[in-house]
Amino acid sequence: MEVSYKKLWKILIDKEMKKKDLQADAAISWASVTKLSKGENVSMEVLIKVCKALECDIGDIVELIPGENDSTEG
């Protein structure tokens, strides 16, 4: 599974916020913002801080995208 934060960036655009505003409002490190920008995994703590700052739910900022090698068998 891959993680997509496209929804997060759309919310920032809608709220006329820049990444540095998100970093300050959510009290997260710049390294975490960079990971989000690159579509890398971040901790649940970071996601919760972002959600609190933006007053939204995790599903509003993160989307899981199945990869080519992901099987549907559990």
Side-chain angles (χ1 to χ4, degrees), residues 1-2 65-74:
M1 287 274 190
E2 292 184 37
I65 301 170
E68 291 179 16
N69 298 329
D70 292 338
S71 69
T72 54
E73 298 175 23

Side-chain angles (χ1 to χ4, degrees), residues 8-74:
L8 169 60
W9 310 129
K10 182 171 182 344
I11 289 173
L12 290 186
I13 290 168
D14 292 345
K15 292 183 180 255
E16 296 182 359
M17 291 177 69
K18 296 185 185 297
K19 290 178 184 178
K20 65 180 180 181
D21 300 327
L22 174 66
Q23 188 251 337
D25 291 354
I28 59 175
S29 70
W30 192 249
S32 293
V33 175
T34 301
K35 283 185 174 186
L36 290 167
S37 298
K38 293 180 177 181
E40 296 177 2
N41 292 334
V42 295
S43 71
M44 185 61 72
E45 181 182 353
V46 168
L47 295 176
I48 290 170
K49 286 180 178 183
V50 170
C51 288
K52 284 182 181 178
L54 298 176
E55 299 177 351
C56 66
D57 194 18
I58 287 180
D60 296 331
I61 62 170
V62 178
E63 187 175 21
L64 295 177
I65 301 170
E68 291 179 16
N69 298 329
D70 292 338
S71 69
T72 54
E73 298 175 23

